[in-house]
Amino acid sequence: MAGKGNENVTYVDKSGKRLDGRKVDELRPIKVDVGVLDRADGSAYVEWGHNKAIAAVYGPREVLPKHMANPYKAIMRVYYRMAPFSVPEHKRPAPGRREIEISKVLSEALDAAVLTERFPQSQIEVHIDILDADAGTRITALTAASAALADAGIPMRDLVAGVSVGKAGGRVIADLTKAEEDASDAVDIPMAILPSTKEVVLLQMDGILTKEEWKDAHELAHKAAEKVYNLQKEALRKRYESAEAVEETEEIAETKEEVVE
Amino acid sequence: MTEEAIWNLKKDNIESLLSKGERADGRKPDEYREFKIELGKYHHAEGSAFVTLGKTKIAAGVKMSVEKPYPDSPDNGNISVNAEMSPIASPSFESGPPREEAVELARVVDRGIREAKIVDVDKLCITPGEEVWTVFVDLRVLDYDGNLFDACTLAAIAALVNTKIPKYEDGKIIDGEYTGSLPLNGFSTMSTFVKIGNHIVVDPSLDEDKVMSARISVSVNEKGQLCAMQKGGIGTFTAEEIDSIITDRVFKAAKPLQKVIKDLPSK
């Protein structure tokens, strides 16, 4: 992980403030919206600092090609993709090795939450587009994906809530920015949990860390993930407690009646 | 295919409404749905726009990159338009490399911009024969509610209007610093008409897109000139129908789009 950053930069100053003025355990501003797309079965849009991710969910639906189907459970298919304009240098549109690996770890993290055993022979798809990237896109993507699965009405043990913690300038901090990831001693630890049981469903790390630092980082991650969890729940509540959502359900009911007639 | 069966059922209804001069959503034949343009949404893009047309949603971003010019135009910059129709936008879109629909969409949008000579490529030369700017316009279809051609063109033009040229020094782009706005000459809009039975309407909704037999997209510039055209679908247009669209109807239909594009604040 160790970046090319200047060793003279003070990543956390004497008053405990970071480069962008945050405290060590403070997250960037996060906004979660669910039900943002019309055609998808479920959808969510997340802004996390400068990161922007949109997720669409389909399913459970037929597995194609058929030989991929599992007779005991639904298979999760996750597609994490970056828009060519989401990064400083124009990115070629075809998915690279990084996007393929991230798709795999996200898929496994979500699989742990979804009650896949209820839908044998089927697949649940999650498509995520990163429209703006500024360190922490996989967790932004996962936050959106998990909320979109809930919006699609897919039964889950819990939402998946994640955060990236790590180290810069010798201090353990939450939610690293690009500038902090570039520190010469930077460590990045994306982590996600099922908050109600605290089970870890995603964990990656690159960089050098002592045991003590890990303990701090681990504790920090759990606390921070809890905040993300609350934002996800709030967004879902906002969507389904509002009058509009109720009206829509009624509309669907009416359409069904018409079909019966 | 269950979905196709549904469109077949809807076709009769849409057609019988049209024969009474009505559209399912209450619009007139040459009337667009509501549309909205948000500029500068994505901070890494040199220019960007988020466009909704009906419920169709498009995210467009422009990236500027320094490249070697083509040998036959050593003093000119270049423009490249790409479109992704990922499953985010529709249960019937598939993931993977762009299929023919997405390739056609990108190329038709590209021609509407290129042929109208909107981007002043002469001013995008850094060192003749060595270094020129390439303008990458990338379109992400996020929700497919019909008429991707017009929505993508609107998004692409809006993103270009919003584009700043990055500062370029000693062979490097300085991130976050700019030297001015992208040089543009006027603008163009695209208007797509579809034929359903014997009826022709502009800005097809999803249902109309699915049941149409033929489609024609016409790009016009701010001077009222035709810049590009593309016919699609297995159906046909009569010579009179084509004449009526490209000499008259397209200009009337495009008015609201042109008005909004003209008033977009440039960077």
Side-chain angles (χ1 to χ4, degrees):
Chain A
M1 183 69 215
K4 53 196 179 315
N6 186 342
E7 286 185 33
N8 298 323
V9 175
T10 308
Y11 288 94
V12 182
D13 71 14
K14 285 196 190 85
S15 62
K17 290 268 173 67
R18 291 153 65 178
L19 295 174
D20 57 3
R22 280 184 293 153
K23 289 179 277 199
V24 288
D25 62 347
E26 194 176 338
L27 304 179
R28 288 173 280 181
I30 302 169
K31 198 182 104 186
V32 184
D33 273 320
V34 301
V36 293
L37 298 177
D38 194 50
R39 300 296 312 278
D41 296 333
S43 60
Y45 175 71
V46 173
E47 285 187 9
W48 186 317
H50 278 309
N51 293 305
K52 296 182 185 74
I54 193 157
V57 167
Y58 294 98
R61 65 178 183 181
E62 188 182 15
V63 183
L64 289 172
K66 279 201 161 83
H67 70 85
M68 300 279 292
N70 183 324
Y72 303 107
K73 64 183 276 284
I75 58 169
M76 292 294 298
R77 287 189 153 163
V78 177
Y79 301 84
Y80 163 99
R81 296 289 183 266
M82 297 192 90
F85 52 82
S86 65
V87 283
E89 293 223 348
H90 180 255
K91 187 199 153 292
R92 299 281 157 192
R97 289 159 57 88
R98 178 181 168 279
E99 283 156 294
I100 290 164
E101 186 213 333
I102 290 177
S103 298
K104 179 174 184 289
V105 295
L106 294 185
S107 154
E108 288 158 350
L110 294 167
D111 201 320
V114 172
L115 297 171
T116 53
E117 62 276 16
R118 293 221 189 146
F119 307 104
Q121 303 284 15
S122 62
Q123 69 177 15
I124 296 166
E125 287 164 53
V126 187
H127 300 271
I128 311 151
D129 239 16
I130 301 296
L131 299 169
D132 226 337
D134 184 31
T137 59
R138 77 195 63 190
I139 293 298
T140 307
L142 189 59
T143 306
S146 162
L149 281 165
D151 181 48
I154 308 263
M156 293 158 86
R157 287 179 185 85
D158 199 354
L159 290 165
V160 178
V163 69
S164 180
V165 292
K167 187 173 89 169
R171 293 286 297 268
V172 171
I173 52 178
D175 190 20
L176 280 68
T177 60
K178 189 76 189 69
E180 288 166 337
E181 278 190 357
D182 284 342
S184 59
D185 69 339
V187 180
D188 182 32
I189 314 168
M191 187 173 134
I193 59 170
L194 305 179
S196 55
T197 60
K198 309 236 182 288
E199 287 166 276
V200 174
V201 294
L202 180 143
L203 179 63
Q204 296 183 292
M205 176 176 122
D206 37 9
I208 292 170
L209 208 63
T210 66
K211 269 188 248 173
E212 288 70 30
E213 285 170 338
W214 160 253
K215 274 187 192 157
D216 290 348
H218 192 197
E219 196 182 327
L220 190 54
H222 276 280
K223 279 187 187 151
E226 199 70 34
K227 293 180 195 162
V228 176
Y229 185 47
N230 288 332
L231 291 169
Q232 288 171 312
K233 287 195 292 189
E234 208 176 287
L236 285 159
R237 250 187 237 123
K238 194 173 117 202
R239 167 85 172 128
Y240 290 100
E241 275 177 5
S242 73
E244 193 190 17
V246 175
E247 253 171 46
E248 256 190 41
T249 324
E250 279 167 7
E251 264 173 45
I252 294 167
E254 272 171 27
T255 329
K256 276 184 184 152
E257 277 166 33
E258 275 168 32
V259 174
V260 175
E261 281 165 18
Chain B
M1 285 291 285
T2 42
E3 213 184 339
E4 257 168 49
I6 292 168
W7 302 124
N8 277 332
L9 289 169
K10 285 192 171 178
K11 185 167 190 283
D12 295 341
N13 183 35
I14 291 171
E15 230 186 293
S16 73
L17 275 173
L18 283 172
S19 61
K20 288 185 271 176
E22 289 170 27
R23 289 171 85 172
D25 53 12
R27 282 185 290 157
K28 297 190 190 76
D30 286 352
E31 189 179 343
Y32 269 87
R33 290 168 292 176
E34 271 191 32
F35 58 94
K36 207 175 90 189
I37 301 172
E38 286 176 68
L39 295 178
K41 286 264 287 185
Y42 310 114
H43 89 296
H44 276 312
E46 273 80 68
S48 60
F50 183 82
V51 166
T52 56
L53 173 62
K55 283 180 178 165
T56 289
K57 297 179 190 70
I58 313 288
V62 175
K63 286 304 296 176
M64 305 280 291
S65 173
V66 178
E67 319 237 320
K68 213 173 155 57
Y70 290 111
D72 59 350
S73 59
D75 310 329
N76 289 350
N78 297 298
I79 175 162
S80 160
V81 179
N82 181 59
E84 292 275 328
M85 290 165 66
S86 95
I88 285 183
S90 162
S92 58
F93 292 175
E94 289 172 33
S95 56
R99 276 152 231 264
E100 55 183 32
E101 286 80 11
V103 171
E104 185 194 27
L105 173 63
R107 287 180 58 86
V108 170
V109 173
D110 181 299
R111 285 204 292 278
I113 294 166
R114 187 182 301 273
E115 300 307 324
K117 301 193 168 53
I118 289 164
V119 178
D120 197 343
V121 289
D122 299 342
K123 292 187 185 148
L124 293 180
C125 180
I126 300 166
T127 318
E130 296 290 329
E131 288 179 320
V132 296
W133 288 108
T134 292
V135 183
F136 287 101
V137 182
D138 281 278
L139 300 157
R140 314 290 278 195
V141 180
L142 298 179
D143 222 351
Y144 170 48
D145 184 35
N147 197 9
L148 296 179
F149 288 91
D150 301 2
C152 282
T153 301
L154 215 50
I157 300 273
L160 286 169
V161 170
N162 183 245
T163 298
K164 298 164 286 183
I165 298 182
K167 197 168 177 184
Y168 183 71
E169 269 176 6
D170 309 325
K172 265 198 288 191
I173 290 178
I174 316 291
D175 200 20
E177 291 186 44
Y178 303 94
T179 56
S181 53
L182 183 68
L184 301 177
N185 299 311
F187 60 86
S188 66
T189 56
M190 187 169 293
S191 295
T192 296
F193 293 80
V194 294
K195 187 167 173 180
I196 300 163
N198 287 315
H199 311 282
I200 294 171
V201 294
V202 80
D203 180 29
S205 65
L206 177 64
D207 287 352
E208 291 167 341
D209 237 357
K210 288 288 184 181
V211 304
M212 62 94 182
S213 62
R215 181 193 75 220
I216 184 163
S217 301
V218 185
S219 165
V220 296
N221 66 12
E222 82 286 359
K223 299 186 197 84
Q225 295 163 316
L226 301 161
C227 309
M229 271 189 247
Q230 177 97 340
K231 188 258 173 194
I234 55 170
T236 60
F237 289 102
T238 66
E240 291 75 26
E241 285 167 347
I242 295 275
D243 275 346
S244 151
I245 290 168
I246 68 176
T247 61
D248 181 37
R249 292 181 67 178
V250 67
F251 297 101
K252 287 179 186 155
K255 264 186 191 149
L257 305 184
Q258 299 233 333
K259 187 177 179 308
V260 168
I261 290 277
K262 189 166 65 100
D263 293 338
L264 285 178
S266 95
K267 269 286 156 182

